[in-house]
Amino acid sequence: MALSRIWAAFIITAVLVASCKWIFNNDENIFSRMVVGKADDAVDSIGYIISGEPQKAANVSREAFVTNLGTYNYALKDSVQKAKVLITGNASSDSVKILKSLNPSIKIYTYGSLRNKLVRKTDGIIETCKSAVTISIGLIGILALFMGFLNIAEKAGGIRFLSRIVGPFFSKLFPELPKGHPAMGHMIMNFSANLLNLDNAATPFAIKAMQSLQELNPNKERASNAQIMFLCLHASGLTLIPVSIIAVRAAAKAQTPTDIFIPCLIVTFVATLAAMLIVSFRQKINIFQPVILGWIGGISAIIAVLVFYISTLNADRVQIFSGILSNGLLVAVLLLIVIGGAYKKINLFDAFVDGAKGGFETAVRIIPYLVGLLVAISMLRTSGVFDVIVTAIKDFFVAAGVDTRFVDGLPTALIRPLSGAGGRGMMVDTMKIFGPDSFAGRLSGIFQSSSDTTFYVVAVYFGAVGIKNTRYAVGSMLLADLVGIITSIFVAYLFFG
């Protein structure tokens, strides 16, 4: 029910904002953009000139202002005759009147009014539907591979062996699970894949865990306590080494691409603890039990050792170490599964094929959930809802006299729970506009690591097992996301001033 209301709210909000733009801003193409998107064609480029200095009116340097407009297909011209738009801080100044006389057809925007005119390249409803199916098709092979190996591991007893190891901890955190249930093994494999930044492996492990938990669920359409706890911990996105973010920073020629490593690790750890506390409070689980505290302390110690070691490496060595740790361990796990299956004299290939068949069925089953959710998110983006929110937040903090540098990184934080690709795109845009070593550039990277794509997680994993009533799962995930965002801002100021 909660997801249904949120989905409806997304669509209604998007249409209302679009209607306001149509009525008050005379944006006649807003509904077309929502349906078919905005193409990145040369004909869409808008030539402009600047009168005055942007930093006096828009609180941003001239270079950053020009770079930002370039992402919206605005091109700076060298003469007033070549421009369609004049951007100024004072529309009634004498210099503006002179420029207007040289080009009577030129449109005049102040820095404030221009913000309502900007439209970033986005996919509309039609392309988003295609993207949802493309995502599902892309998952088929990955799901088939790992679910095939998981089937071998289950028949060989490997999952139950893993469940017995984590049983003392998980039995306290998931009190409804029977001792040694295979779901414990599936969950620990998912958490391990997330920890090592193995997105391709984490998805099938999570789906398998949800399917195992669904077997114990008395109400097949209503999320169980164990399923909510698992997905909230999964969505908090605890990752040891944010390899993809470091790679983006390196590509953007950051002086020290790895300088966000420790802040990212702190933020994801805090977000994971927040998710655990939030759900434990709702489910009346006492997390101060010795077993839980012992496991959390042990994990914290391991992370501290890795932080100390990795902090001594340069950017190239961090990526090499991460590749060895992540991919090497994955290959080792697959090898151990095959060896274990051979030792138990299992028909390995038949077991693999039987498990892989479930990958195809699962990928097809989640298509309707992805289409519905991604379309609603697309409507929010194309209608300009995110731009309205960010502008309102920045204006509020400017009026309050508070430092607003963090607001420039907020688009990544706002879109990340809705779309992984969208969050990544916003992070790259922020680094392009403000620079990878700017406060906003570093903060956007920390935001990107602070959580997983909450609504994608809800759509895919609940959809994979047919859950319709998600109860308080979405609210708990978003609250943990909020903790991650606040912690990201605090840590960014602490490390980068």
mmCIF file of all heavy atoms in Angstrom, residues 416-443:
data_model
loop_
_atom_site.group_PDB
_atom_site.id
_atom_site.type_symbol
_atom_site.label_atom_id
_atom_site.label_comp_id
_atom_site.label_asym_id
_atom_site.label_seq_id
_atom_site.Cartn_x
_atom_site.Cartn_y
_atom_site.Cartn_z
ATOM 1 N N ARG A 416 19.606 9.554 -6.538
ATOM 2 C CA ARG A 416 20.212 8.252 -6.249
ATOM 3 C C ARG A 416 19.204 7.207 -5.754
ATOM 4 O O ARG A 416 19.204 6.080 -6.248
ATOM 5 C CB ARG A 416 21.336 8.441 -5.224
ATOM 6 C CG ARG A 416 21.934 7.156 -4.670
ATOM 7 C CD ARG A 416 22.627 6.343 -5.746
ATOM 8 N NE ARG A 416 23.305 5.195 -5.173
ATOM 9 C CZ ARG A 416 23.725 4.149 -5.858
ATOM 10 N NH1 ARG A 416 23.543 4.097 -7.160
ATOM 11 N NH2 ARG A 416 24.332 3.158 -5.268
ATOM 12 N N PRO A 417 18.287 7.521 -4.802
ATOM 13 C CA PRO A 417 17.331 6.495 -4.377
ATOM 14 C C PRO A 417 16.354 6.080 -5.471
ATOM 15 O O PRO A 417 15.742 5.015 -5.390
ATOM 16 C CB PRO A 417 16.573 7.171 -3.214
ATOM 17 C CG PRO A 417 17.478 8.255 -2.746
ATOM 18 C CD PRO A 417 18.169 8.739 -3.986
ATOM 19 N N LEU A 418 16.214 6.924 -6.495
ATOM 20 C CA LEU A 418 15.257 6.643 -7.559
ATOM 21 C C LEU A 418 15.884 5.932 -8.744
ATOM 22 O O LEU A 418 15.266 5.087 -9.386
ATOM 23 C CB LEU A 418 14.620 7.953 -8.048
ATOM 24 C CG LEU A 418 13.907 8.795 -6.980
ATOM 25 C CD1 LEU A 418 13.480 10.122 -7.568
ATOM 26 C CD2 LEU A 418 12.700 8.044 -6.439
ATOM 27 N N SER A 419 17.129 6.277 -9.057
ATOM 28 C CA SER A 419 17.776 5.724 -10.250
ATOM 29 C C SER A 419 19.283 5.708 -10.062
ATOM 30 O O SER A 419 19.891 6.759 -9.828
ATOM 31 C CB SER A 419 17.406 6.583 -11.473
ATOM 32 O OG SER A 419 18.228 6.276 -12.571
ATOM 33 N N GLY A 420 19.877 4.521 -10.178
ATOM 34 C CA GLY A 420 21.325 4.408 -10.069
ATOM 35 C C GLY A 420 22.029 5.147 -11.193
ATOM 36 O O GLY A 420 22.984 5.892 -10.970
ATOM 37 N N ALA A 421 21.534 4.947 -12.429
ATOM 38 C CA ALA A 421 22.129 5.624 -13.584
ATOM 39 C C ALA A 421 21.923 7.134 -13.489
ATOM 40 O O ALA A 421 22.811 7.925 -13.826
ATOM 41 C CB ALA A 421 21.520 5.089 -14.873
ATOM 42 N N GLY A 422 20.737 7.542 -13.016
ATOM 43 C CA GLY A 422 20.468 8.970 -12.869
ATOM 44 C C GLY A 422 21.365 9.611 -11.835
ATOM 45 O O GLY A 422 21.897 10.703 -12.039
ATOM 46 N N GLY A 423 21.564 8.923 -10.701
ATOM 47 C CA GLY A 423 22.461 9.426 -9.667
ATOM 48 C C GLY A 423 23.887 9.534 -10.166
ATOM 49 O O GLY A 423 24.582 10.516 -9.899
ATOM 50 N N ARG A 424 24.318 8.511 -10.927
ATOM 51 C CA ARG A 424 25.671 8.532 -11.482
ATOM 52 C C ARG A 424 25.823 9.687 -12.466
ATOM 53 O O ARG A 424 26.849 10.375 -12.489
ATOM 54 C CB ARG A 424 25.969 7.205 -12.172
ATOM 55 C CG ARG A 424 27.446 7.000 -12.536
ATOM 56 C CD ARG A 424 27.671 5.632 -13.174
ATOM 57 N NE ARG A 424 27.238 4.564 -12.301
ATOM 58 C CZ ARG A 424 26.160 3.794 -12.527
ATOM 59 N NH1 ARG A 424 25.416 4.003 -13.609
ATOM 60 N NH2 ARG A 424 25.837 2.841 -11.696
ATOM 61 N N GLY A 425 24.792 9.904 -13.286
ATOM 62 C CA GLY A 425 24.830 11.006 -14.244
ATOM 63 C C GLY A 425 24.911 12.355 -13.558
ATOM 64 O O GLY A 425 25.664 13.243 -13.978
ATOM 65 N N MET A 426 24.149 12.515 -12.465
ATOM 66 C CA MET A 426 24.187 13.765 -11.711
ATOM 67 C C MET A 426 25.561 13.970 -11.070
ATOM 68 O O MET A 426 26.070 15.094 -10.997
ATOM 69 C CB MET A 426 23.100 13.772 -10.636
ATOM 70 C CG MET A 426 21.720 14.034 -11.171
ATOM 71 S SD MET A 426 21.611 15.683 -11.925
ATOM 72 C CE MET A 426 19.926 15.653 -12.547
ATOM 73 N N MET A 427 26.166 12.884 -10.593
ATOM 74 C CA MET A 427 27.506 12.984 -10.002
ATOM 75 C C MET A 427 28.512 13.455 -11.047
ATOM 76 O O MET A 427 29.326 14.358 -10.782
ATOM 77 C CB MET A 427 27.931 11.624 -9.438
ATOM 78 C CG MET A 427 29.349 11.587 -8.901
ATOM 79 S SD MET A 427 29.849 9.951 -8.311
ATOM 80 C CE MET A 427 29.888 9.024 -9.867
ATOM 81 N N VAL A 428 28.456 12.873 -12.231
ATOM 82 C CA VAL A 428 29.368 13.263 -13.310
ATOM 83 C C VAL A 428 29.129 14.715 -13.703
ATOM 84 O O VAL A 428 30.079 15.483 -13.897
ATOM 85 C CB VAL A 428 29.194 12.329 -14.527
ATOM 86 C CG1 VAL A 428 30.002 12.845 -15.713
ATOM 87 C CG2 VAL A 428 29.623 10.913 -14.179
ATOM 88 N N ASP A 429 27.858 15.117 -13.808
ATOM 89 C CA ASP A 429 27.523 16.504 -14.152
ATOM 90 C C ASP A 429 28.089 17.469 -13.113
ATOM 91 O O ASP A 429 28.646 18.520 -13.454
ATOM 92 C CB ASP A 429 26.002 16.676 -14.236
ATOM 93 C CG ASP A 429 25.450 16.251 -15.580
ATOM 94 O OD1 ASP A 429 26.255 15.990 -16.485
ATOM 95 O OD2 ASP A 429 24.221 16.159 -15.710
ATOM 96 N N THR A 430 27.930 17.129 -11.847
ATOM 97 C CA THR A 430 28.421 17.998 -10.778
ATOM 98 C C THR A 430 29.926 18.164 -10.857
ATOM 99 O O THR A 430 30.459 19.266 -10.676
ATOM 100 C CB THR A 430 28.023 17.425 -9.404
ATOM 101 O OG1 THR A 430 26.600 17.284 -9.348
ATOM 102 C CG2 THR A 430 28.476 18.352 -8.275
ATOM 103 N N MET A 431 30.633 17.060 -11.145
ATOM 104 C CA MET A 431 32.093 17.140 -11.267
ATOM 105 C C MET A 431 32.503 17.965 -12.480
ATOM 106 O O MET A 431 33.500 18.684 -12.449
ATOM 107 C CB MET A 431 32.687 15.730 -11.355
ATOM 108 C CG MET A 431 32.585 14.941 -10.065
ATOM 109 S SD MET A 431 33.371 13.321 -10.177
ATOM 110 C CE MET A 431 32.903 12.608 -8.596
ATOM 111 N N LYS A 432 31.741 17.864 -13.568
ATOM 112 C CA LYS A 432 32.041 18.658 -14.757
ATOM 113 C C LYS A 432 31.835 20.141 -14.495
ATOM 114 O O LYS A 432 32.628 20.983 -14.907
ATOM 115 C CB LYS A 432 31.142 18.214 -15.921
ATOM 116 C CG LYS A 432 31.547 16.893 -16.570
ATOM 117 C CD LYS A 432 30.618 16.577 -17.730
ATOM 118 C CE LYS A 432 30.996 15.267 -18.427
ATOM 119 N NZ LYS A 432 30.056 14.948 -19.523
ATOM 120 N N ILE A 433 30.755 20.461 -13.800
ATOM 121 C CA ILE A 433 30.387 21.863 -13.601
ATOM 122 C C ILE A 433 31.285 22.541 -12.568
ATOM 123 O O ILE A 433 31.808 23.629 -12.787
ATOM 124 C CB ILE A 433 28.911 21.970 -13.159
ATOM 125 C CG1 ILE A 433 27.992 21.486 -14.300
ATOM 126 C CG2 ILE A 433 28.552 23.398 -12.775
ATOM 127 C CD1 ILE A 433 26.564 21.255 -13.867
ATOM 128 N N PHE A 434 31.479 21.888 -11.435
ATOM 129 C CA PHE A 434 32.196 22.513 -10.325
ATOM 130 C C PHE A 434 33.625 22.012 -10.170
ATOM 131 O O PHE A 434 34.410 22.602 -9.423
ATOM 132 C CB PHE A 434 31.430 22.285 -9.016
ATOM 133 C CG PHE A 434 30.052 22.869 -9.015
ATOM 134 C CD1 PHE A 434 28.948 22.084 -9.300
ATOM 135 C CD2 PHE A 434 29.853 24.211 -8.763
ATOM 136 C CE1 PHE A 434 27.667 22.614 -9.307
ATOM 137 C CE2 PHE A 434 28.584 24.762 -8.768
ATOM 138 C CZ PHE A 434 27.481 23.960 -9.051
ATOM 139 N N GLY A 435 33.964 20.912 -10.880
ATOM 140 C CA GLY A 435 35.300 20.344 -10.759
ATOM 141 C C GLY A 435 35.314 19.173 -9.790
ATOM 142 O O GLY A 435 34.627 19.215 -8.763
ATOM 143 N N PRO A 436 36.091 18.114 -10.082
ATOM 144 C CA PRO A 436 36.115 16.930 -9.211
ATOM 145 C C PRO A 436 36.686 17.196 -7.828
ATOM 146 O O PRO A 436 36.372 16.469 -6.878
ATOM 147 C CB PRO A 436 36.985 15.942 -9.992
ATOM 148 C CG PRO A 436 37.852 16.800 -10.858
ATOM 149 C CD PRO A 436 37.008 17.978 -11.226
ATOM 150 N N ASP A 437 37.524 18.225 -7.699
ATOM 151 C CA ASP A 437 38.134 18.531 -6.403
ATOM 152 C C ASP A 437 37.412 19.651 -5.666
ATOM 153 O O ASP A 437 37.876 20.103 -4.607
ATOM 154 C CB ASP A 437 39.608 18.907 -6.582
ATOM 155 C CG ASP A 437 40.451 17.716 -7.021
ATOM 156 O OD1 ASP A 437 40.207 16.606 -6.516
ATOM 157 O OD2 ASP A 437 41.334 17.900 -7.876
ATOM 158 N N SER A 438 36.296 20.100 -6.218
ATOM 159 C CA SER A 438 35.488 21.101 -5.527
ATOM 160 C C SER A 438 34.716 20.427 -4.387
ATOM 161 O O SER A 438 34.600 19.202 -4.330
ATOM 162 C CB SER A 438 34.500 21.754 -6.494
ATOM 163 O OG SER A 438 33.551 20.787 -6.950
ATOM 164 N N PHE A 439 34.171 21.233 -3.498
ATOM 165 C CA PHE A 439 33.380 20.674 -2.398
ATOM 166 C C PHE A 439 32.165 19.920 -2.943
ATOM 167 O O PHE A 439 31.875 18.805 -2.507
ATOM 168 C CB PHE A 439 32.935 21.791 -1.448
ATOM 169 C CG PHE A 439 32.190 21.297 -0.243
ATOM 170 C CD1 PHE A 439 32.879 20.859 0.874
ATOM 171 C CD2 PHE A 439 30.805 21.257 -0.225
ATOM 172 C CE1 PHE A 439 32.204 20.387 1.990
ATOM 173 C CE2 PHE A 439 30.117 20.801 0.883
ATOM 174 C CZ PHE A 439 30.816 20.362 1.995
ATOM 175 N N ALA A 440 31.475 20.530 -3.919
ATOM 176 C CA ALA A 440 30.292 19.889 -4.495
ATOM 177 C C ALA A 440 30.671 18.608 -5.235
ATOM 178 O O ALA A 440 29.937 17.612 -5.180
ATOM 179 C CB ALA A 440 29.583 20.853 -5.444
ATOM 180 N N GLY A 441 31.805 18.616 -5.942
ATOM 181 C CA GLY A 441 32.245 17.434 -6.673
ATOM 182 C C GLY A 441 32.537 16.267 -5.750
ATOM 183 O O GLY A 441 32.138 15.127 -6.008
ATOM 184 N N ARG A 442 33.245 16.535 -4.652
ATOM 185 C CA ARG A 442 33.547 15.476 -3.687
ATOM 186 C C ARG A 442 32.268 15.001 -2.987
ATOM 187 O O ARG A 442 32.056 13.802 -2.796
ATOM 188 C CB ARG A 442 34.544 15.989 -2.652
ATOM 189 C CG ARG A 442 35.979 16.174 -3.182
ATOM 190 C CD ARG A 442 36.893 16.527 -2.032
ATOM 191 N NE ARG A 442 38.297 16.505 -2.425
ATOM 192 C CZ ARG A 442 39.068 17.587 -2.522
ATOM 193 N NH1 ARG A 442 38.538 18.783 -2.300
ATOM 194 N NH2 ARG A 442 40.340 17.475 -2.853
ATOM 195 N N LEU A 443 31.412 15.951 -2.619
ATOM 196 C CA LEU A 443 30.174 15.595 -1.917
ATOM 197 C C LEU A 443 29.269 14.730 -2.787
ATOM 198 O O LEU A 443 28.635 13.785 -2.289
ATOM 199 C CB LEU A 443 29.438 16.864 -1.487
ATOM 200 C CG LEU A 443 28.110 16.653 -0.746
ATOM 201 C CD1 LEU A 443 28.313 15.833 0.518
ATOM 202 C CD2 LEU A 443 27.459 17.999 -0.411
#
